[in-house]
């Protein structure tokens, strides 16, 4: 009587022999891939004509750059709003913004790790939380907010819900992308 171990080895050996019987003749039959015959390339022409087109006037671009440098600091923050360029702007409720949307700022942290942890907790609780960096008096803080919300009354209800659910008092702010 064969043991299970011997039976497995015998079955594996028979399988390998069968695979070799099928594959080996295909490898050595000599009817492999035909070699490709490529036509030689013509010799390259390395003579290059100089570019004699007129140089564009860079004055408008330089003027635009100096205007941009006046509006944005070296760290990429808008000097007027203090918000990093490309991030959502969170402005006080009394400021007017062209696109009127609202957000509820839950907290603001000097350490980004703390802001990331708070955002993850809010996301886990089902809120649409996001981060926005701001620079005031040379200090960068990371704000955690929920939004945007189109209707101000809905934003106020959200603020009330957050105030009762969490220890920090939330702030209603204007949201501008």
């Amino acid at each position: 009587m064969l043991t299970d171990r011997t039976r497995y080895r015998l079955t594996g050996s028979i399988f390998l022999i069968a695979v070799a019987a099928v594959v080996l003749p295909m490898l050595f039959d000599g009817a492999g891939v035909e070699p490709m015959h490529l036509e030689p390339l013509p010799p390259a022409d390395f003579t290059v004509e100089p570019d004699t087109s007129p140089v564009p006037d860079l004055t408008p671009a330089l003027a635009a750059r100096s205007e941009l440098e006046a509006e944005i600091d070296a760290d990429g923050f808008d000097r007027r709003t203090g918000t990093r360029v490309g991030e959502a702007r969170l402005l006080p409720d009394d400021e007017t913004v062209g696109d009127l949307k609202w957000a509820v700022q839950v907290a603001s942290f000097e350490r980004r790790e703390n802001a990331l942890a708070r955002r993850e907790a809010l996301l886990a609780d089902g809120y649409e939380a996001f981060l926005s960096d701001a620079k005031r008096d040379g200090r960068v803080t990371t704000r955690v907010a929920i939004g945007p919300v189109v209707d101000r009354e809905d934003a106020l209800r959200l603020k009330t819900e957050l105030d009762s659910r969490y220890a920090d008092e939330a702030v209603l702010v204007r949201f501008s992308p």
Side-chain angles (χ1 to χ4, degrees), residues 12-78:
S13 299
I14 292 171
F15 176 76
L16 288 176
I17 291 170
V19 169
V22 171
V23 173
L24 287 177
M26 290 190 308
L27 291 176
F28 298 112
D29 68 356
V33 178
E34 305 246 345
M36 286 180 49
H37 298 288
L38 300 176
E39 295 293 323
L41 294 175
D45 180 19
F46 290 108
T47 59
V48 178
E49 293 293 324
D51 183 10
T52 58
S53 60
V55 176
D57 182 18
L58 297 178
T59 307
L62 293 175
R65 178 179 174 170
S66 64
E67 288 175 16
L68 190 60
E69 287 175 344
E71 294 176 14
I72 299 171
D73 70 8
D75 296 325
F77 287 89
D78 185 323

Side-chain angles (χ1 to χ4, degrees), residues 136-150:
R136 298 271 189 250
D137 301 324
R139 290 182 21 238
V140 176
T141 58
T142 303
R143 301 171 293 184
V144 182
I146 298 173
V149 179
V150 176

Side-chain angles (χ1 to χ4, degrees), residues 13 43 58 60 69 80 83 103 125 155 157 167:
S13 299
L58 297 178
E69 287 175 344
R80 186 178 58 81
T83 303
D125 287 344
R157 279 192 287 278

